[in-house]
Amino acid sequence: MKVELLYAVLTLAGGIFSLGLLGLLLRRNLLLSFLAIELLLNAANLNFIAFSRYHNDPTGAMFVLFGICLAAVEAVIGLALTVRIFRLHEDLGLAKLAQLRW
Amino acid sequence: MVSAFLPLTVALPLLGAMGIGLGSLWVPALRQQRKLLGALATLTVAFSFIGFLAAFWTYEKPLYFAFAWDWIAIDALRIPLRFQVDTLSLWMALIVTGVGALIHLYSIGYMGEDEGAWRYFAFLNLFIFAMLTLVLADSLPLLFLGWEGVGACSYFLIGFWFHEAENAQAAQKAFLMNRIGDVGLLAGMIWLFAETHTFDIEGLKRFVYSADVAGSVGLLFFFAATGKSAQIPLYTWLPDAMAGPTPVSALIHAATMVTAGVYLLARMDFLYNAAPETLLLVGGIGTATALIGGLIALAQNDIKKVLAYSTVSQLGFMFAAIGAGAYTAAIFHVFTHAFFKALLFLGSGSVIHATGTQDIRQMGGLRRYMPITGWTFWIGTLAIAGIPPLAGFFSKDEILAALYARGTEGTALYYLYWGTLLLVAFLTAFYMGRLTWLTFEGTYRGEGHPHESPLVMTLPLILLGVGSVGAGFVGLPAVIGPSWLREHWLSQTIREIPLPHLSHTTEWFLIALSVAIALMGIGLARALYKEGLAGDATLSQRLGTFYTLLAQQLKVDWLYKQAFVQPYLVLADLAKDVIGPWVGRGLPRAVSQGLLRLSDALARFQGGYLPVYLAYVIGLGLIFLLWVLL
């Protein structure tokens, strides 16, 4: 794998990560925040894969497997919580979910 | 042979106290056997006296005896329960148990009707034991134990009728005043230990002390003595201590307690011999106390108050003697004073018993109703006034001669002490004459029919009267014959700086002077008071406001209250009004309020809005990145 391709993939991953971060900061809906978190995780996975290929080292691929696994678990728990919160409040607006504070 | 019985001799009063006190506690019926308990208490002290008398007859050299176990044993520091019988301690023990036994005997009559007699006799016995511990102790801590024991017993007995708040307060005052003095003894003891690493009195004698150490420790011990022996500035407890039963006053004033300070200083002769400046101060304080006591006694109307101030004054004489380095003269005066002061107090008790009052304005002419009390009281009066050949004359003369002799050495201050004490001797003769005339002569001014006390009370009076007449002959003035007490007995233990020799003419002159002064005092008292109370009016006219001041006891109590109690109350108010509200409550409140504000302010960062938290995380991440990269 050439170094130019690495740069391109890293740039793509950086773009996806920035999109996820912006979504997380700006979206006011819990469900969309989850989607943004998935973007963050996948951007990180993309980085791992790229470096793994570039260095010919399978360790990065291993991390990606664990990362996907983690993302799946997170999605399950997060979505379950989201459903519970929607049943409770009939709303997923983050502004209203501000009970965990003083 | 005798030495085998000595531990028992010392322990007898303690056994008596335990037996009477604990026995009556467990078997309440025993408390009603007042005469029996009194007889038991008297016998223990009397047997103790006989034991010491036997030791006295067979005395050859100092004896030591210890109880089986060590009192304190920490590493190398061992303080055994060891007692020392040398000429000084044996002499004191004889006074304590001899006079003490007579006072016990008298108490059977005086306290026989009191419900608390069992308590009384137990404490009385304990008092004797504590005093014996004090004088016989061979180390300073053991002496201190006796010293404190005496203080505690005086507290119990002065406050014996504690149902009246006044008596309880007098007891507390005595205890506290003594406690102030005790600090001196404790500090001096520790200082000596730091210098020598021993508490043993014989051991302490072997060291050579610098003038600084000897003077300072001597001063501390003297401060302790001002508490126990009622000297300026701590004497005010003694007149108040009259709140106790009269025999207790006799015991405190004659046999135990107040003589402890004189004994301590005589015992520490090796320190004072090395510290002439301290001796000068001791003499000055003693002289001033003698003067103040004598003056105040002029204007008191309570028979016991007069005697109390008379004791303060006589103790001043003893300390003046110590100030002259004449320790044996001080012990001699302790000895004679024990007889006539016990006699006077027991006599006054007999009078109080008969008339039911302590106010001499309600008395008069009592000698006709109670001849034995009257005549023995007269003996006591003449003895304390210093009329030869009664006991007080010899000891007082020896003290005055010692001060005069020190004066001839070149320290002019001793002449001043001598002159002042001559004046006090005149005052003594005068106020004692006044007291006796107002009490026993003239016509009876009270109500009812006073009667003579029973034999159990008059017998001690007669015996003490004999002592008051004869006790002085153990210490003849040098011009008449050698003083047995000084030359043959106490000199075995006490080391004195030799006094300059006085010529025979000077000595006869001094004797004549003190006799003349005593006679003048008695004569003036007779002139003023043979008509009864009119003398007081004349006296107060002549002395004006000074007389009023004397009647108010020079307002010393008021002064102490202003100087020590009031500032304390002001401090207490300060604590209540300022420190409490501001520091005690205000400051913690301010701190807690501040913390609440701070946490309120910090809590605003925790808005609960998820994107804001994320912004914090990202912000912190950026800062971390910048910090790593730069």
Side-chain angles (χ1 to χ4, degrees), chain B residues 29-226:
Chain B
L30 202 60
R31 299 177 195 177
Q32 299 308 314
Q33 305 295 322
R34 293 187 280 268
K35 299 265 191 280
L36 179 77
L37 292 178
L40 200 66
T42 310
L43 280 179
T44 60
V45 181
F47 276 124
S48 183
F49 175 64
I50 291 169
F52 285 119
L53 214 52
F56 172 72
W57 287 121
T58 57
Y59 184 84
E60 282 164 0
K61 59 178 173 40
L63 289 172
Y64 294 86
F65 60 91
F67 290 94
W69 60 91
D70 283 351
W71 176 30
I72 292 173
I74 306 165
D75 290 340
L77 174 67
R78 305 179 77 78
I79 299 170
L81 281 172
R82 198 169 59 202
F83 294 92
Q84 172 185 26
V85 181
D86 59 14
T87 54
L88 175 59
S89 61
L90 186 53
W91 194 247
M92 289 298 293
L94 282 171
I95 300 173
V96 172
T97 50
V99 176
L102 292 177
I103 293 169
H104 274 70
L105 179 63
Y106 177 94
S107 296
I108 299 176
Y110 194 85
M111 299 295 288
E113 307 303 317
D114 197 289
E115 275 300 309
W118 63 280
R119 230 164 17 97
Y120 175 84
F121 282 112
F123 285 140
L124 218 55
N125 259 358
L126 196 63
F127 210 156
I128 297 284
F129 172 72
M131 194 65 194
L132 284 179
T133 311
L134 197 164
V135 297
L136 293 168
D138 96 316
S139 62
L140 285 174
L142 197 57
L143 185 149
F144 188 69
L145 184 73
W147 187 273
E148 292 299 312
V150 168
C153 289
S154 72
Y155 171 77
F156 297 140
L157 286 168
I158 292 168
F160 181 72
W161 289 314
F162 55 83
H163 295 292
E164 279 170 45
E166 203 183 320
N167 298 344
Q169 273 163 14
Q172 270 183 20
K173 186 173 177 183
F175 197 68
L176 287 178
M177 284 293 203
N178 274 295
R179 198 82 323 99
I180 298 171
D182 292 346
V183 175
L185 181 52
L186 212 53
M189 193 164 102
I190 293 166
W191 192 335
L192 277 188
F193 185 77
E195 290 284 328
T196 63
H197 295 282
T198 180
F199 280 128
D200 189 71
I201 291 174
E202 282 306 309
L204 288 171
K205 279 188 183 180
R206 276 185 232 114
F207 288 86
V208 178
Y209 298 92
S210 71
D212 281 350
V213 173
S216 312
V217 175
L219 218 58
L220 286 170
F221 282 160
F222 176 57
F223 184 64
T226 61

Side-chain angles (χ1 to χ4, degrees), chain B residues 548-569:
Chain B
T548 328
L549 204 59
L550 288 181
Q552 292 165 332
Q553 309 176 12
L554 288 176
K555 292 196 170 191
V556 173
D557 274 327
W558 176 84
L559 206 70
Y560 281 0
K561 199 169 181 183
Q562 293 301 316
F564 299 109
V565 180
Q566 284 301 333
Y568 178 75
L569 290 179

Side-chain angles (χ1 to χ4, degrees), chain B residues 97-403:
Chain B
T97 50
V99 176
L102 292 177
I103 293 169
H104 274 70
L105 179 63
Y106 177 94
S107 296
I108 299 176
Y110 194 85
M111 299 295 288
E113 307 303 317
D114 197 289
E115 275 300 309
W118 63 280
R119 230 164 17 97
Y120 175 84
F121 282 112
F123 285 140
L124 218 55
N125 259 358
L126 196 63
F127 210 156
I128 297 284
F129 172 72
M131 194 65 194
L132 284 179
T133 311
L134 197 164
V135 297
L136 293 168
D138 96 316
S139 62
L140 285 174
L142 197 57
L143 185 149
F144 188 69
L145 184 73
W147 187 273
E148 292 299 312
V150 168
C153 289
S154 72
Y155 171 77
F156 297 140
L157 286 168
I158 292 168
F160 181 72
W161 289 314
F162 55 83
H163 295 292
E164 279 170 45
E166 203 183 320
N167 298 344
Q169 273 163 14
Q172 270 183 20
K173 186 173 177 183
F175 197 68
L176 287 178
M177 284 293 203
N178 274 295
R179 198 82 323 99
I180 298 171
D182 292 346
V183 175
L185 181 52
L186 212 53
M189 193 164 102
I190 293 166
W191 192 335
L192 277 188
F193 185 77
E195 290 284 328
T196 63
H197 295 282
T198 180
F199 280 128
D200 189 71
I201 291 174
E202 282 306 309
L204 288 171
K205 279 188 183 180
R206 276 185 232 114
F207 288 86
V208 178
Y209 298 92
S210 71
D212 281 350
V213 173
S216 312
V217 175
L219 218 58
L220 286 170
F221 282 160
F222 176 57
F223 184 64
T226 61
K228 200 66 78 194
S229 293
Q231 297 295 293
I232 294 171
L234 298 177
Y235 72 89
T236 57
W237 66 270
L238 193 63
D240 282 27
M242 296 297 105
T246 309
V248 170
S249 306
L251 198 64
I252 289 178
H253 286 247
T256 61
M257 191 85 180
V258 296
T259 56
V262 185
Y263 167 78
L264 176 71
L265 266 56
R267 178 54 88 194
M268 293 293 137
D269 53 354
F270 54 94
L271 283 179
Y272 290 96
N273 284 339
E277 288 89 359
T278 304
L279 277 186
L280 203 60
L281 182 76
V282 172
I285 298 274
T287 309
T289 312
L291 182 63
I292 283 186
L295 281 173
I296 295 177
L298 290 181
Q300 299 303 312
N301 287 320
D302 182 325
I303 185 168
K304 287 177 76 179
K305 276 266 157 73
V306 177
L307 292 176
Y309 277 107
S310 147
T311 303
V312 172
S313 176
Q314 295 301 308
L315 288 165
F317 269 92
M318 296 170 202
F319 281 98
I322 292 200
Y327 315 113
T328 52
I331 296 294
F332 185 27
H333 202 51
V334 166
F335 174 62
T336 59
H337 181 257
F339 285 106
F340 52 71
K341 191 46 68 67
L343 170 61
L344 290 170
F345 262 113
L346 296 185
S348 78
S350 176
V351 167
I352 294 164
H353 207 60
T355 61
T357 176
Q358 303 191 5
D359 191 336
I360 50 177
R361 287 169 297 192
Q362 308 289 318
M363 298 174 185
L366 286 174
R367 188 162 51 85
R368 256 171 293 131
Y369 301 98
M370 30 200 330
I372 301 177
T373 308
W375 284 118
T376 50
F377 203 91
W378 261 115
I379 292 174
T381 299
L382 296 178
I384 195 174
I387 305 290
L390 302 176
F393 160 75
F394 292 102
S395 53
K396 203 175 284 185
D397 186 63
E398 192 175 332
I399 291 172
L400 290 171
L403 284 165

Side-chain angles (χ1 to χ4, degrees), chain B residues 490-524:
Chain B
L490 289 178
S491 61
Q492 293 178 41
T493 308
I494 298 179
R495 295 273 167 272
E496 291 181 335
I497 308 165
L499 284 163
H501 195 70
L502 294 175
S503 72
H504 279 208
T505 333
T506 321
E507 280 218 39
W508 279 117
F509 167 71
L510 288 175
I511 288 171
L513 194 61
S514 69
V515 172
I517 271 180
L519 287 174
M520 269 166 58
I522 297 264
L524 186 63

Side-chain angles (χ1 to χ4, degrees), chain A residues 1 3 10 19-20 26 28-29 35 39-40 49 53 58 65 68-69 72 74-75 82 96-97 100-101:
Chain A
M1 188 175 175
V3 75
L10 286 184
L19 276 176
L26 299 178
R28 296 280 183 269
N29 189 298
L35 290 180
L39 283 180
L40 292 181
I49 283 291
R53 288 286 294 174
L65 282 177
I68 290 170
C69 204
E74 180 248 45
T82 309
K96 296 222 172 147
L97 298 178
L100 293 176
R101 54 166 190 141

Side-chain angles (χ1 to χ4, degrees), chain A residues 11-33:
Chain A
T11 313
L12 178 65
I16 294 173
F17 192 86
S18 303
L19 276 176
L21 211 55
L22 278 174
L24 209 53
L25 283 174
L26 299 178
R27 285 291 172 179
R28 296 280 183 269
N29 189 298
L30 189 58
L31 210 55
L32 291 174
S33 300

Side-chain angles (χ1 to χ4, degrees), chain A residues 21 24-28 30 94-95 97-102, chain B residues 600 603-615 618:
Chain A
L21 211 55
L24 209 53
L25 283 174
L26 299 178
R27 285 291 172 179
R28 296 280 183 269
L30 189 58
L94 283 176
L97 298 178
Q99 284 154 333
L100 293 176
R101 54 166 190 141
W102 54 283
Chain B
D600 268 0
R604 295 200 188 284
F605 289 101
Q606 195 183 356
Y609 190 47
L610 208 54
V612 177
Y613 294 165
L614 276 167
I618 292 161

